[in-house]
Amino acid sequence: MTIVPYRRSVGHNAAISAIGRRRTRDRQTAVMLAGPGILLLFILFILPAIAVFAIAATDWQLGAKSFSFVGLRNFELLWQDADFWHSMINTLAFVSVCVPVTVGLGLIVALLIEAESGFRAFYRAVHFLPFMATMAAAAIAWESLLHPTIGLLNQILRSFGVQDTNWLRDENTVLPVLGAIFVWKNLGYAMLLFLAGLKTIPSDLYDAAEVDGADGPLSRLATVTLPLLGPIAMFALVVVALRAFEVFDIIKVLTQGGPGKASEMLLYTLYVESFEYLRTGYGAAVSVVFLLIVIGLTLLQVFVLDKRVHYQ
Amino acid sequence: MASISLDGIGKSFGRTRVLKRISLDIRDGEFLTLVGPSGCGKSTLLRIIAGLELQDEGSVRIGDRAVDGLPPKARDVAMVFQSYALYPHMTVERNMAVPLVMRRLGALQRMPLVGRLAPGTERMRASIAADVRKVALALGIEPLLARKPGQLSGGQRQRVAVGRAMVRQPAVFLMDEPLSNLDAKLRVSMRAEIKELHAKLGVTFVYVTHDQAEAMTLSDRVDLMIDGELVQIAPPQVLYNDPDHVNVAAFVGSPSINLVQATALSEWLASAVRWAGDAGNLDGVTIGFRPERLSICNEGTAGSIAGRIRLVEHLGADRYVHIDIARTERPLIVRTHPHDGPDLAPGATIALQAEPKDMLVFDAAGRRLRKRPCDATEILIARSSA
């Protein structure tokens, strides 16, 4: 008997190189498939974002041939700018009131619609319509409703003996009115999210709750519905908050930030600085602040949604 | 502890009648299984007992009271669901505590934060936690108390669901296919655990399954339902050996019973069994042979029927032989021991024998013919006792 020493065969090496070739081919395919998307993302989103950061460090004015780098000077100005802070506080107040109200009402409407089987599609459509409407057009309709003399709202109030209010020209009412329009517009969206969320709750859980004794409307809500809607509610809060931060169209159409600067908000300030005063560098600095808020909210969403409850 | 009595329960969903006036008495401490093909109404019946579904007619009594007007929580029943229905956001401990919290604490005491301030809440919470721990220990799930359902395996979730049912010591356990989401091996071991649990608790169990093996192994009595009707209710052995209906015979047993049109066997019946009466008697009559009640013999043995082996399946302890005989569509399956009888190979010609007493005879409507009305069966019975 002879002992054959172990040797790597030629076939073995050939197999290795065949696998290597296949790997290269797979990589090429991946680049070809993902490449165009990455390129577009780069051109349309990442480059402009970098440009905004760069412009924010200059004193460039829109259309100007020359500019110089000023470092963080724009942010320093921003910090000292009372108008910017006024706009910022307006925005924060708007967001902190409108978002919970929108999401809360959306939840209530969704629960009411789910509770009764009749006219479900009708109620769903009615509440969702405002979200589908073009905001600029809807804003004009709101303007006529809110008109101080011929507006429907004041006419109704007058019949109850209430004094006329110039809703959009009174600095005490302008923000609440804009907030109400925002809620009207976005309620349907929150409602739709919750309706979808309610559908994902297994009916077995309600049965189990009923056998366990949680069969009243409130205890059922507390035991099953609300906890299981938690992740959806988080998502709705973040998305509605993003929409509230970027409120622009109703301000532009209805108030132009007025009266005075009573209804000026972050995105409108950004627009005015960049495109009306043409202080593009300064506007870019506002953009950076805005961008940081949006990124913060998005990270919050990713972070919290990652830890969401797993449904079995 | 409670008996359950159903009297003429009927239920329709829209135009579909899912339960057709079902009457049934379940004894105190009994393990009764509702079994049947899917859509036969067994789950609906269980949900009606639980109070999750309201019957259209008839009444339900648990113990000595009619419970028709009572919500599930007042019926003193606990239920284990097929999906386990554990609250995904709660830990195992909180899941198991829910039935006790809902019963022992008032609405105010249940409120977060505020509830803690209400008098007696702390003491109640402590006693609930102690009860939960006791049940968890008994079920061997104590180490899991702090986990959430998403972090548990299927078998563990199943055990938690049983624990949640046990924790408030109900008079009746209702189980809706509790094992069907488990893999085959786990199902067998959980089956044994449920049987032990029943022996230990001694309360009434009503168990729904479509798995005949579960029904046969677990139950004191099995209630076989088909198309919203109760076909036969009997202990598992009776259901297997002495079925009332061809559907019962066909549903119970694996591999399932061989059902052959009697007309296809007329010559054999005449020669081997001396089937009396004219051939017209055999019209529509079906004869069933359990696979283990057929035996294989050499070709030409007196009183046998010739056949040809189509397929042999080896299962270790058993061997299933598929045999084609003349004038039948499907082969007959014979269950033999691997070392019994002649060496069997596909294509071989052999013969089959059966004792007359092992033949189950059913009329055209599927009803079992025991003695009357067919005189042919009388001969069968007479010969078997001779």
Side-chain angles (χ1 to χ4, degrees), chain A residues 202 204-216 219 222-224 227-228 309-312, chain B residues 47 52 71-73 77-79 81 83 85-90 98-99 102-103 110 157 164 168:
Chain A
D204 268 2
L205 280 183
Y206 289 112
D207 288 345
E210 214 176 329
V211 175
D212 286 346
D215 56 356
S219 55
T223 313
V224 180
L228 269 79
V309 193
H310 293 286
Y311 300 155
Q312 311 226 335
Chain B
R47 290 171 62 83
L52 291 171
K73 67 171 175 186
V77 298
M79 190 151 169
F81 296 84
S83 64
L86 300 175
Y87 308 113
H89 56 288
M90 296 183 188
V98 169
M102 296 313 295
R103 266 171 188 73
R110 288 201 300 268
R157 282 181 210 172
R164 186 176 61 181
R168 66 188 165 89

Side-chain angles (χ1 to χ4, degrees), chain B residues 235-256:
Chain B
Q237 276 313 309
V238 175
L239 215 57
Y240 185 80
N241 292 323
D242 197 10
D244 284 345
H245 195 278
V246 68
N247 288 337
V248 178
F251 189 81
V252 178
S254 171
S256 47

